[in-house]
Amino acid sequence: MSTDPTVSGEPGHDPVLAADDPVTDTVVNPGAAEPDPVIDTRNTALHDGVNRCPKCGSTEIQLRVSTQMLICLFCRHEWAEESIDPTISGDGTLDDLSGTTIASGASDITSDEGMASFKCGGCGAEVVVNTSESMSSRCHWCRHVLTVNEQMPNGAVPDAVLPFKVTRDQAVKHISDFAGSRRLFADRTFRKEFTPGNVVGVYLPYMVVDSRATGTVAGKGEIETRRYTRKHGETETTYYDADVYQVERNVTFTVDDLTIESATSRTSDVRVNTNNVINTILPFDTKNAVRWNANYLVGYTSERRDQDVSTMVPVLEDQLLSITRSQVEKSIKKFDRGVRWENEKIDVHGTRWVSMYLPVWLYSYYHEHKGRPMVHYIAVNGRTGETMGSVPVSHGRLLMAALTTGTVLEGIALAIIGATL
Amino acid sequence: MSILATLLDPATLQLGLDVLRAAEYDSYDTDDDGGILLLLALGPAGAGLVYWSLYRYYRNTDKSHDFERETTIEAQPVTGGERKVGDRNGTTSSSIDNANGRAHRKRVNRFS
């Protein structure tokens, strides 16, 4: 970007752009001295409304899961959007990452308005799409399928989408197998009402974050120097002597594609929801994500992102601290009595945030126990098939199994006591 | 993960081993009233272990994404140091108090 050297940098003046200079978008980060750089991920080949098959012009387009490509249902032509990774990664490596870089689809949400209205390119009718529920709609006059592709200020259009790879039939089998191996102690009503065919394909919003950071931990460590036993009457007690050390460890690392939920409704709290099972099916092969095209979502549901980068920073730092602790674990093996970390810190040198829709097959079951409602999920990773879930239990059956085991063990204990007295 | 894997989970095994060790230790020392009581506790402890293991296998409340191992991380060599600051003699505890070297997600004081 060329600027006028006589103007640029002078107090009270903004840098001047020549008319034909390429423009780099910026968003102002409140509280930060410098604006955050933005990676422009807009799919300029598409626009809101009618987006036709490049071969025949039809708008009957959807994802073909077996190939992960878009297919025209009229002429069967198949194609795919470009991979998003080269746009995001650029030429640099993660070791060069500095500051906060936000892709344009991950920009702050400035409106929660879910309704989008646009003119049908086929007949000129005004068509409304509720982006909270769907990213496409059929024109009620000319029957063209209209899609939302321009990035909106409500977080509905991410930077990229990772298409489904696991078919619906495969997902149903995964869910049936998962619940099938948990039948014996499952709640009786669940067993009766379990219908894996009710599985729904949903694109959930995530923030995929690259980061470069240095973590520091400090605390105490102990090394055993002596072990001995002393008799107190009939009993023997083991005693330990140890050297106590003040320990500090530092590690600088890069993290590639850390994946964090970006919708508050996905917040995990095992006391009131089973969202943790959806978190468990991570990771996804996010390197295969492609540029946004709403046609990938035709036939699936999606959930809007409602979290900004600034609100997700604490979650990222928490995960980077956990990674720090994990990375230094091998270096503290000499402390055979263990280490007690007492202080920790993380210096984040650079982050890069990309908003992404990731594919999940979801089976949900509403269940009430003692007046406490809970939705139990069985989730299947739409790329790898990894399955995790929560099955409501029959507490009566569990209690019976526990009491039976306890009775047998107690019988053995009584037999030992009887034999030794 | 099968129920067998859940029962073989390190946390479950540790609990089971603690119960068995208590029982084994006390079987050599049944003259002791405390030992008999501990042996008698084998039944309730075993019942609790079975209930807890089965509940966990069905509800999976303890599961989450293992991002520390399942994300691509490239780390430079770990640096730092240690210096002896004291002794701890005659303790009956076999490990440091409040050890958290393996509890990666348990946060401690943040300093700047």
Side-chain angles (χ1 to χ4, degrees), chain A residues 178 181-186 216 220-222 228 235-259 270 274 276-277 279-280 282-283 317-319 321-323 325-329 331-332 334-335 337-346 374 376 388-393 395 398-399 401-403 405-406 409-410 413-414 416-417 420-421, chain B residues 1-3 6 19-20 23-32 35-112:
Chain A
F178 184 89
S181 66
R182 288 165 175 79
R183 279 184 62 82
L184 190 57
F185 297 103
T216 302
K220 300 284 190 302
E222 290 184 0
Y228 51 97
T235 58
E236 282 189 343
T237 307
T238 304
Y239 292 91
Y240 304 88
D241 291 350
D243 288 342
V244 182
Y245 289 82
Q246 176 67 35
V247 186
E248 182 174 310
R249 293 288 184 271
N250 310 285
V251 63
T252 297
F253 57 90
T254 60
V255 186
D256 195 3
D257 286 4
L258 197 59
T259 307
V270 293
T274 64
N276 71 299
V277 303
N279 175 270
T280 307
L282 293 169
E317 290 189 352
D318 190 84
Q319 295 199 3
L321 282 167
S322 298
I323 289 169
R325 295 265 289 272
S326 167
Q327 289 294 319
V328 304
E329 189 185 327
S331 74
I332 55 171
K334 65 189 285 189
F335 300 99
R337 285 174 52 82
V339 166
R340 178 181 64 250
W341 296 121
E342 296 164 338
N343 298 290
E344 60 188 351
K345 73 168 178 174
I346 190 81
M374 187 175 275
H376 293 263
M388 183 47 68
S390 169
V391 172
V393 294
H395 290 275
L398 275 192
L399 208 57
L403 286 175
T405 311
L409 288 173
E410 199 65 12
L414 288 172
I416 293 171
I417 293 169
T420 51
L421 282 178
Chain B
M1 183 192 276
S2 69
I3 191 165
T6 302
V19 170
L20 288 173
E24 183 188 31
Y25 174 77
D26 292 320
S27 67
Y28 294 114
D29 190 26
T30 47
D31 291 341
D32 183 0
I36 292 174
L37 284 176
L38 274 172
L39 198 54
L40 287 172
L42 189 63
L49 182 67
V50 166
Y51 191 97
W52 179 63
S53 304
L54 286 172
Y55 183 83
R56 221 171 53 142
Y57 178 64
Y58 277 66
R59 294 275 283 103
N60 290 303
T61 50
D62 58 321
K63 304 293 189 305
S64 69
H65 170 39
D66 192 3
F67 57 85
E68 296 95 334
R69 290 192 301 114
E70 293 180 329
T71 309
T72 305
I73 297 164
E74 288 190 9
Q76 291 173 17
V78 175
T79 59
E82 59 255 352
R83 61 188 166 83
K84 190 179 170 188
V85 292
D87 301 301
R88 190 178 178 202
N89 296 327
T91 177
T92 53
S93 172
S94 61
S95 65
I96 192 169
D97 296 337
N98 302 317
N100 58 11
R102 290 181 180 174
H104 304 147
R105 298 190 186 178
K106 194 175 177 185
R107 295 280 69 84
V108 295
N109 179 50
R110 289 276 293 269
F111 67 107
S112 52

Side-chain angles (χ1 to χ4, degrees), chain A residues 191 300 338 371 421:
Chain A
R191 287 169 57 172
Y300 300 95
L421 282 178

Side-chain angles (χ1 to χ4, degrees), chain A residues 359-399:
Chain A
V360 176
W361 287 105
L362 212 53
Y363 174 82
S364 56
Y365 179 78
Y366 178 84
H367 181 249
E368 263 189 36
H369 177 65
K370 291 183 178 175
R372 284 182 58 198
M374 187 175 275
V375 179
H376 293 263
Y377 293 118
I378 301 176
V380 180
N381 185 313
R383 297 289 296 187
T384 63
E386 183 179 347
T387 306
M388 183 47 68
S390 169
V391 172
V393 294
S394 163
H395 290 275
R397 282 166 181 251
L398 275 192
L399 208 57

